[in-house]
Amino acid sequence: ATATASHTGALAGDGDVFDAMCRKYGIVRCATLDDMIETALAFQAGRIPGGPRVAMAGYSGGAKGLFLDYAAVEGLELASLSDDTKAKLAPLLDRGLAPDNPLDTGAGLANRAGIFSEVCRIMTEDPGVDMFSMQGQLPARADDKADPKTFASVAQIGKPVITHGRMSQNITPDGRAFQEKAGVPFLQGLPEAVRALKALADYGMRRQRGIAEMAAPSQNAGFNENQFNAALIGHGIMPPKSAFAATAQAAAGEAAMIGFPVALKIISPQASHKTEIGGVALNLLDEIAVQAEADAMADRLSHIDAKAELSGFLVQEMVSGLEVIVGVREDPQFGPFMVLGLGGIYVEALKDVAFRLLPVSEQDAGDMLDDLRAKALLGAFRGAKARDRAALIRAAAGLSALFLDYRNVLSDLELNPLIVLGDGEGVRAVDVRPVERVTKQ
């Protein structure tokens, strides 16, 4: 528990941390009861895809168009058919139709179950297809002429196969018996079918990656600042050149030794958010400017809180680049989690952040960056050179490992801002804020 506020905690609602938990364990979230029923039916078949690529075949051009629309909304990855597969499909389709994915076979195959089944088998066998959806509806009566072998022969290939209808229908006992014989889940409605396919894909990819367990904390004693700073560097979190000064005059001298321009920050227990009290000055060019700013910061602090304790000043080399926030803290329900996004003054204004439960691997950190709306800023953008994305990923994964080491000692650990320099130049942690865990007596 801590009384000190943090951007990390302020940005994370219960829903955000819950979503991070779902991502970690591959938990499927369903927005409606219909989605839950259809998705559960898709998973009940027991076949998990080896990849995210989906193929679809039907005998309705309208259904193909709707499938494409829903796939785009849900981010479903459509498989690219091989030239061999296309060559096999072409003579089986209605005249003038291209052997593409998703596939419209033409209405002529609606009543030619054998040929439609062969088309579906050819597509499912394509090595670039991880799972398949074929158009089909359950019969309402036992005397219906539909043959479950139409679907069973496709399912026998071994990949996840579902069927889809354009809209929901009433399912009779005879229809459920047909589904059992076919060995394929018949999903009701195209939107639900697409979301179920996306859930299968996401779960399959999450299962392949595995779920890393949290390492036991290695630091169980009190907080040692020198040891902690060395650990930061060891985990790829590099600080700028910096020096502590107890007085304004000493700050000016330290600035001269570091080299101009410099940044100056006030150090006080009452100045957690330094920018809010004017406790940060940038691009100071000489000793006179440093001493004047330090005196002004001390005056502002005393006017805000007459009892405030002035510990001194931090003088740092100026570094410029993209400002990001990387923070971790303990959630009472879900455990430790990470926030990663645009930092500095933009973190509260834009709230462009991603969340994950710890441990965060380098792959997880890369996925978090891809979740950001402003991820283009990490590349070459508006004349600025690309940022060092690889160093940022290493730093995020390093912060995850470091927090787990100090989990019994710290309740919160935040880098804001972490400056991402040009490609190959690394990162600089210009503001590191560890919050020691307070044990309730």
Side-chain angles (χ1 to χ4, degrees):
T2 176
T4 305
S6 74
H7 289 108
T8 301
L11 289 168
D14 289 343
D16 296 311
V17 185
F18 177 71
D19 182 63
M21 183 192 71
C22 292
R23 286 176 178 269
K24 177 176 180 179
Y25 294 107
I27 297 172
V28 177
R29 300 179 69 176
C30 297
T32 67
L33 184 59
D34 286 338
D35 276 333
M36 185 183 74
I37 292 171
E38 303 307 322
T39 301
L41 183 60
F43 273 83
Q44 187 176 322
R47 296 189 180 99
I48 305 301
R53 300 164 299 182
V54 177
M56 171 271 199
Y59 31 80
S60 164
K64 172 182 174 177
L66 288 172
F67 187 90
L68 280 168
D69 289 343
Y70 297 135
V73 170
E74 299 300 329
L76 196 65
E77 183 176 339
L78 297 178
S80 296
L81 301 179
S82 68
D83 290 340
D84 181 57
T85 296
K86 291 179 179 180
K88 293 177 181 177
L89 291 174
L92 302 177
L93 308 180
D94 281 3
R95 186 186 300 273
L97 293 176
D100 297 324
N101 177 42
L103 178 65
D104 173 17
T105 66
L109 266 65
N111 297 314
R112 301 170 70 185
I115 297 178
F116 181 65
S117 182
E118 176 63 17
V119 165
C120 294
R121 285 195 300 272
I122 292 170
M123 293 183 72
T124 305
E125 288 173 342
D126 189 300
V129 173
D130 298 310
M131 49 186 162
F132 185 72
S133 182
M134 58 190 298
Q135 186 172 352
Q137 288 186 321
L138 292 171
R141 301 183 306 275
D143 59 357
D144 194 292
K145 295 181 179 180
D147 186 350
K149 293 180 181 179
T150 301
F151 308 96
S153 62
V154 182
Q156 287 172 358
I157 293 171
K159 296 179 182 179
V161 175
I162 69 167
T163 65
H164 63 266
R166 285 179 293 181
M167 60 190 69
S168 297
Q169 65 177 116
N170 291 325
I171 306 301
T172 66
D174 290 330
R176 286 192 290 272
F178 183 94
Q179 182 174 246
E180 289 293 325
K181 292 178 181 178
V184 174
F186 283 70
L187 273 58
Q188 305 300 306
L190 267 173
E192 291 79 8
V194 168
R195 285 192 285 269
L197 288 166
K198 184 65 167 60
L200 281 167
D202 290 346
Y203 179 77
M205 298 300 288
R206 176 71 264 183
R207 195 168 78 163
Q208 286 183 35
R209 185 184 299 182
I211 300 172
E213 296 295 329
M214 285 191 294
S218 63
Q219 303 295 325
N220 295 303
F223 182 75
N224 182 291
E225 185 172 353
N226 291 333
Q227 182 184 17
F228 179 74
N229 289 338
L232 284 169
I233 295 173
H235 284 84
I237 304 166
M238 304 300 296
K241 295 178 183 177
S242 60
F244 173 78
T247 66
Q249 184 177 5
E254 295 291 352
M257 295 181 64
I258 290 173
F260 297 101
V262 298
L264 180 70
K265 301 175 184 179
I266 196 168
I267 305 298
S268 168
Q270 288 74 39
S272 176
H273 296 297
K274 298 175 179 60
T275 56
E276 295 179 2
I277 65 166
V280 178
L282 305 177
N283 289 307
L284 302 179
L285 301 178
D286 55 41
E287 294 178 65
I288 295 175
V290 171
Q291 185 165 346
E293 282 290 347
D295 286 332
M297 288 179 186
D299 287 342
R300 283 193 291 270
L301 180 64
S302 64
H303 280 94
I304 293 171
D305 185 350
K307 297 181 180 180
E309 175 188 345
L310 176 60
S311 302
F313 303 92
L314 181 66
V315 186
Q316 293 180 324
E317 67 170 327
M318 277 299 303
V319 290
S320 60
L322 181 66
E323 296 185 357
V324 303
I325 178 175
V326 188
V328 289
R329 75 175 310 174
E330 191 93 15
D331 182 88
Q333 283 185 290
F334 302 111
F337 69 93
M338 174 176 287
V339 171
L340 173 61
L342 287 188
I345 62 174
Y346 300 108
V347 62
E348 292 178 0
L350 302 179
K351 294 182 172 60
D352 186 11
V353 293
F355 299 87
R356 293 293 189 278
L357 291 189
L358 268 58
V360 170
S361 67
E362 291 192 8
Q363 183 174 359
D364 294 328
D367 290 344
M368 294 175 78
L369 293 180
D370 290 338
D371 287 347
L372 301 180
R373 300 189 302 275
K375 57 179 176 284
L377 295 177
L378 287 165
F381 187 79
R382 296 275 182 168
K385 64 180 180 179
R387 303 292 101 193
D388 198 334
R389 176 186 168 102
L392 174 55
I393 287 173
R394 288 194 298 270
L399 191 72
S400 168
L402 183 62
F403 184 81
L404 292 178
D405 281 344
Y406 280 82
R407 187 179 179 187
N408 289 342
V409 178
L410 299 179
S411 64
D412 198 315
L413 176 56
E414 186 173 282
L415 313 177
N416 185 32
L418 177 70
I419 305 296
V420 188
L421 305 179
D423 193 19
E425 297 175 355
V427 296
R428 297 291 184 272
V430 299
D431 197 350
V432 180
R433 198 166 58 80
V435 179
E436 293 186 57
R437 186 179 295 278
V438 177
T439 305
K440 295 181 179 180
Q441 300 297 324

